[in-house]
Amino acid sequence: MTKIVGIFGDPIGHTLSPVMHNAAFRALGLDWVYVPARVRPADLAAALRGMRAMGWGGVNLTIPHKERAMRLVDRASRAARLTGAVNTIVITPRGLAGHNTDGSGYVAALREELDLDPRGKRVVILGAGGAARGIGVALLEAGVSQFTILNRTPARAASLARHFRKGFKQAQIVSGGLARQRASKTFADADLLVNATAVGMGGTAHRGLPLQALPKRAVVSDIVYRPFRTPLLEAASGHGLRTQGGLGMLLQQGAEAFTLWTGQPAPVDIMRRALRRALSRAGPG
Ligand SMILES: NC(=O)c1ccc[n+]([C@@H]2O[C@H](COP(=O)([O-])OP(=O)(O)OC[C@H]3O[C@@H](n4cnc5c(N)ncnc54)[C@H](OP(=O)(O)O)[C@@H]3O)[C@@H](O)[C@H]2O)c1
């Protein structure tokens, strides 16, 4: 009668989610197991029907399934609707319930690790992809006053800003390219800089980012967690700024999914230790 949950993605080999959830199930003595499955895009609907037929508790979804799943769930949470993506599905008697815990997980990590309340803060986010979208929804829901999206492809940033302006009237939402001049003006009064691009993975770095323009009170947050300390975080520390890595977001989005499935508070410290161990075993790659 072991209850099964898991994660569907393609590729799926590098996911750390099984490690943290299985550690949590063991710690709480729950007869549950979390399994990764490679599911090709064309098979997502069949895989969701199959897990429902087999009595699974639910699944997480990762690249490339999050947007597609919106059309396959029976109902979606407000965060999932605003983000346009589902990362957690719970099987209920009324069908598949879609949630998005990525953005709320990010904000929970800000609160937990840095005691930072986003209300009234001025935020600059680098990137306009799926992660930036989820984080943007959660930060705007939490009441940030100014939200600037800077992206390598400025048209994508502009399109995301238009989307956010429709749902969030209280904040000033602007967009632009990553060009140095524009960034340095925007950085000057930022409280929080978030890297939500793929830059940082494998130790890569943004070139010419004017970190020196950030005020001393600013926090620099990078959602990339491989390596654990990205070049951006090292550079920000060098400027005397407070920093936050991407592990907290991974942990907190998982903790929220855990509670959605089991109805129990997640053993966050145990999950964090399991993630840290797995990351140090995996090395910086
Ligand atoms: N900590 C966590 O739990 C967590 C969760 C989700 C994602 N992540 C991390 O977040 C990153 C982004 O994920 P995503 O799902 O948003 O991906 P995505 O939808 O593919 O978006 C990628 C973003 O990165 C930008 N980008 C890619 N290469 C770049 C480069 N060389 N220079 C400048 N910008 C570049 C893209 O800009 P263009 O629009 O110009 O292409 C786009 O804004 C991933 O690398 C992942 O490691 C972490």
Side-chain angles (χ1 to χ4, degrees), residues 127-131 151-153 156 196-199 201 223 225 246 249-250:
N151 195 43
R152 176 177 64 177
T153 311
R156 254 187 118 187
T197 71
V199 179
M201 290 175 77
I223 69 164
Y225 52 82
M249 174 179 173
L250 179 68

Side-chain angles (χ1 to χ4, degrees), residues 83-195:
T83 311
V86 166
N87 81 328
T88 304
I89 292 180
V90 183
I91 299 184
T92 74
R94 290 166 48 223
L96 303 185
H99 298 264
N100 193 313
T101 67
D102 281 333
S104 50
Y106 175 77
V107 169
L110 274 185
R111 294 189 201 278
E112 199 224 23
E113 296 180 349
L114 299 169
D115 197 22
L116 195 155
D117 180 357
R119 181 162 299 280
K121 298 290 190 296
R122 284 173 287 225
V123 177
V124 179
I125 192 162
L126 310 178
R133 208 177 168 95
I135 290 170
V137 165
L139 285 172
L140 287 160
E141 289 264 78
V144 300
S145 61
Q146 200 173 309
F147 192 73
T148 303
I149 308 162
L150 301 179
N151 195 43
R152 176 177 64 177
T153 311
R156 254 187 118 187
S159 155
L160 188 55
R162 277 195 301 278
H163 169 76
F164 284 153
R165 278 188 212 109
K166 281 189 231 144
F168 299 97
K169 309 280 182 211
Q170 86 291 356
Q172 192 191 353
I173 300 169
V174 289
S175 69
L178 266 172
R180 189 188 167 101
Q181 212 188 354
R182 175 67 207 263
S184 90
K185 258 202 270 162
T186 312
F187 279 24
D189 65 354
D191 300 298
L192 171 64
L193 172 71
V194 188
N195 176 50

